[in-house]
Amino acid sequence: MQFRPLPAASFETDIGENEITFYSENGYLSVPRVTTDEELAWLREVYDQLLAMAPTGYLDGIFDLSRPYGTTDVPKLGQLLLPERLVPQIRQTVFWRNAHRIASRLLGVTPTKVESWGHLIFKGADSPAETPWHQDEAYWDPTQEYSELSIWIPLQAATLENGCMQFVPGTHRQEVLPHHPIGNDPRIIGLEVDDPERLTAGAVACPIPAGGATVHHSRMLHYTSPNRSDGPRRAYILTFGTPRRQRAVPRRFYWQEQQQTKWQERHEAAKAVREKSGGM
Ligand code: NI
C-alpha cells in the first residue's frame, strides 16, 4: 500500500489535574483537540485505503463486528485491528504521541511503561449498525488483570446524528458485567451488556469536533448509535495500558465460552496478528 508522506506537524496537547480528577470520578473524558487538521486529512486517506481492502471476515483483516465470524460481505460495522502493522507511520503521528501522553497521565505511570495498539471502526453513510452498550474488558482475557483505557478519535466531527460516543458516568468502578453476543448469536463477535435499558439510564452523549477525542476506561459502559448522516463515520481507537498481569482471583466470562469454538478460533487469530505486529 502506498501513502503520501506523513505531513510534518507539531502540536502538543496535555491534560491537567482537573481532567485527571474528572476521569477518575467519571471514567471518561473529552479532549477538544489531539491532532492538526492536516494530519487528520492524512489519517482519513490512510483509513479509507485500509477500509477499502476486501474483508477477510477474521481478525487478520477487515471483519464485521455485527455479523457471524468469517462473513466477507461489505461490513455494516467494519473493524480492522492493528492498522499500524500495515502503516507503521501511524505511530509517528501527533495524534498517537498526544494520546500516549494523555494516557500515561490518566494511568498514573511514566510514558515508557505504557504499551499501545490501535484499531479502526467504520460505519458507512446512513448505516443502521449501532455499537451496542458494552465494557471493552468483556472482550478480553478473564485470567488477566488490566489497567487500560482507550482514546477514540473520530476522523470528522462526531455528532449525535453520526454516532458519537455515549457513556454512563461512574460505571468504570464496577466489575465486568454479564454480556451476550449481539442477537444472542454465538457466531457473532460483537458483545452487548445484559439488560442495557436498566444500566444506562444516566447515559451522556459526547459530541466532539474534528481533531478532538474521547477517552474511556476499559470498564466504562459505552455505546455509539447508528450513523444517520449522509457521510461515513470513521473512528480510530488507540488502547493504552501497563503490561498485563495474571489475576490472583480468576474470573469466568461465560459469554466468551458460549461463543464456543469460535472464541478459540478468534483467540488464535488474534494471537497471530499480535505476534506479527510485535504489539500487545
Ligand atoms: Ni468499546
Side-chain angles (χ1 to χ4, degrees), residues 53-116:
M53 295 189 300
T56 65
Y58 294 90
L59 298 181
D60 60 349
I62 310 282
F63 64 98
D64 192 333
L65 198 68
S66 68
R67 279 192 282 193
Y69 201 43
T71 302
T72 54
D73 300 342
V74 174
K76 288 192 289 189
L77 194 52
Q79 282 223 37
L80 177 67
L81 297 181
L82 303 165
E84 63 274 17
R85 76 196 133 101
L86 302 169
V87 191
Q89 304 94 298
I90 295 175
R91 280 191 176 272
Q92 311 305 321
T93 54
V94 163
F95 155 50
W96 198 304
R97 294 203 300 268
N98 282 325
H100 189 112
R101 182 180 311 107
I102 291 166
S104 63
R105 296 245 192 264
L106 295 175
L107 293 165
V109 294
T110 56
T112 51
K113 295 224 164 62
V114 176
E115 297 173 341
S116 53

Side-chain angles (χ1 to χ4, degrees), residues 119 121 131-132 134-136 139 150 165 216 220 222-223 237:
H119 77 282
I121 306 185
T131 311
H134 67 281
Q135 293 165 300
D136 290 338
Y139 282 91
S150 291
M165 276 287 210
H216 65 274
M220 164 54 57
H222 58 287
Y223 166 91
I237 299 106

Side-chain angles (χ1 to χ4, degrees), residues 58-61 63 79-86 91 115-119 136-142 144 146 148 150 189 237-240 242 244 256 263 265-280:
Y58 294 90
L59 298 181
D60 60 349
F63 64 98
Q79 282 223 37
L80 177 67
L81 297 181
L82 303 165
E84 63 274 17
R85 76 196 133 101
L86 302 169
R91 280 191 176 272
E115 297 173 341
S116 53
W117 60 279
H119 77 282
D136 290 338
E137 207 172 316
Y139 282 91
W140 301 349
D141 182 344
Q144 300 292 301
Y146 295 96
E148 301 199 13
S150 291
I189 299 172
I237 299 106
L238 296 182
T239 300
F240 295 91
T242 53
R244 294 160 186 185
Q256 293 182 0
W263 170 248
E265 202 179 338
R266 285 166 54 185
H267 185 71
E268 295 303 322
K271 222 166 74 181
V273 167
R274 285 179 181 172
E275 274 162 16
K276 213 166 17 174
S277 78
M280 277 169 79

